[in-house]
Amino acid sequence: MARTIPDVTTVALAVTDGMLHFELSIAYEVFSAAPIGVADPWYDLHVCGRGAVRAGWFRLEPDHGFEQLTKADTVIVPGWADVDEAPPADLVDAVRAAHEAGARVASLCTGAFVLAAAGLLDGRRATTHWAHTQALADRYPQVKVDPDVLYVDNGSVLTSAGKAAAMDLCLHLVRLDHGSSITNAVARRLVVPPHRDGGQAQFVTAPAPAPDNHPLAELFPWAIERLDQPLTVEDLARQARMSSRNLGRHFRSVTGTTPLQWLLTQRIRYAQELLETTDDTVDTIAAATGMGTATTLRRHFNRTVGVPPDSYRRTFRSRPHPGLNDSRQHHQLP
């Protein structure tokens, strides 16, 4: 049965000795403070653990024990430092009990090993840091490990890839609960993209280039401002001053996908934004996103998002928030 997210969602961070402080800090930063201008109640955040916790180089005192996890709407399990060791049994038991009580459970980075030990990933698709995906697959053969994605959403169980992908998943959770407008506001406060294209495969052998330090840096905003136009690969290549073949190679390197697939992703994302924040008809949105007709938009939207545009609007329609205006200029890519 679908679980209703209340107006004020309780988020519990499940922490113990050996947690990775980077992932823990990301979750705390995202869920502890509402972005400026958001009048609605934000998350009620609790840090739950067993006594004082050492996480990397710092020490923290949880405000609740593990028993509080069963009262939370969302439980976040940060990265687990030593994946060669089994996670603490009381942590595993508490996470399993929280899920059985109806909590949405999400792991960040190697926190997936805790979820796997709790049996929450059996038969489910999941991911973790690329350096540990094989270990996760070997140790828990019933888990369908996907090494190439930034995060996996199974509804009540979610997992993220390594390090910065924890931010991707946390923002995804905010988007599920509050919509695009609020998520974009959170992302702007943190100076990060509200959504990144591609998967973690692009980060395995080399870090992604800085937003202003790769051959497509100027092309991305140019294309996003022209989503209503019938752009082709040749148009993009001409604007980037390179051959179509070169363009394809750079797109694969930077975004992990092809130019046309990237364009489709931007069109769908903009359609989602318009469905959430305007009363425009599907025909109007189809024209604004370069889909041409409502039929074409519905086909691509349903295939990509999994629901028709009208159903999506009913589920994710954002309430107005003063001072938070979406537009294509707020996209930050890749």
Side-chain angles (χ1 to χ4, degrees):
M1 183 172 67
R3 188 162 171 273
T4 302
I5 303 298
D7 289 338
V8 180
T9 299
T10 300
V11 173
L13 303 184
V15 301
T16 187
D17 281 348
M19 288 294 179
L20 298 174
H21 60 274
F22 181 77
E23 290 80 354
L24 193 159
S25 300
I26 284 176
Y28 191 90
E29 181 66 25
V30 169
F31 297 108
S32 64
I36 296 173
V38 176
D40 282 4
W42 196 239
Y43 296 94
D44 182 17
L45 180 66
H46 300 291
V47 179
C48 305
R50 181 188 62 243
V53 173
R54 293 179 299 276
W57 45 265
F58 71 88
R59 174 187 174 97
L60 73 159
E61 294 280 349
D63 49 11
H64 296 281
F66 283 141
E67 68 277 359
Q68 183 70 22
L69 297 184
T70 59
K71 303 174 183 178
D73 300 298
T74 299
V75 172
I76 308 289
V77 182
W80 178 247
D82 191 354
V83 297
D84 294 327
E85 296 289 333
D90 55 350
L91 171 63
V92 172
D93 291 342
V95 169
R96 184 190 301 114
H99 186 258
E100 290 174 351
R104 177 177 62 180
V105 179
S107 66
L108 308 180
C109 192
T110 49
F113 283 81
V114 177
L115 270 59
L120 303 189
L121 301 183
D122 288 355
R124 288 188 166 108
R125 184 165 156 263
T127 194
T128 188
H129 192 290
W130 61 266
H132 303 292
T133 50
Q134 191 58 53
L136 183 65
D138 291 343
R139 194 172 310 165
Y140 302 100
Q142 296 184 65
V143 180
K144 302 172 183 177
V145 180
D146 188 337
D148 296 329
V149 294
L150 294 176
Y151 60 83
V152 175
D153 182 349
N154 289 298
S156 65
V157 178
L158 305 91
T159 54
S160 86
K163 297 300 177 182
M167 180 68 77
D168 294 295
L169 180 52
C170 287
L171 291 176
H172 174 67
L173 291 172
V174 174
R175 189 174 189 282
L176 290 175
D177 296 344
H178 294 280
S180 292
S181 297
I182 304 304
T183 306
N184 289 347
V186 174
R188 286 195 292 274
R189 176 172 63 86
L190 298 175
V191 198
V192 296
H195 183 279
R196 290 191 295 164
D197 292 314
Q200 65 171 326
Q202 62 186 297
F203 303 108
V204 172
T205 56
D212 59 350
N213 192 32
H214 61 80
L216 305 181
E218 295 181 2
L219 180 64
F220 288 143
W222 180 88
I224 287 171
E225 287 300 319
R226 293 162 175 78
L227 291 179
D228 59 328
Q229 301 176 20
L231 298 175
T232 65
V233 173
E234 289 71 24
D235 293 330
L236 297 177
R238 189 179 308 111
Q239 179 64 24
R241 300 182 184 86
M242 61 180 67
S243 69
S244 297
R245 179 174 296 182
N246 257 348
L247 181 76
R249 185 164 57 249
H250 284 300
F251 255 92
R252 180 66 67 180
S253 173
V254 174
T255 72
T257 189
T258 66
L260 288 180
Q261 185 58 49
W262 179 87
L263 265 177
L264 178 61
T265 299
Q266 306 317 308
R267 297 186 196 282
I268 294 295
R269 188 179 307 159
Y270 187 36
Q272 289 175 298
E273 219 172 89
L274 293 175
L275 288 165
E276 293 179 21
T277 59
T278 74
D279 294 318
D280 292 348
T281 65
V282 175
D283 286 288
T284 300
I285 292 174
T289 57
M291 294 287 190
T293 67
T295 300
T296 301
L297 172 59
R298 286 192 174 96
R299 183 175 68 252
H300 287 296
F301 196 96
N302 204 357
R303 187 179 62 204
T304 303
V305 182
V307 294
D310 294 332
S311 298
Y312 181 89
R313 172 172 265 164
R314 285 193 296 271
T315 302
F316 289 100
R317 180 60 189 263
S318 300
R319 287 167 290 180
H321 294 272
L324 295 178
N325 297 314
D326 278 350
S327 72
R328 279 172 286 178
Q329 65 182 344
H330 292 146
H331 283 291
Q332 302 174 49
L333 298 168

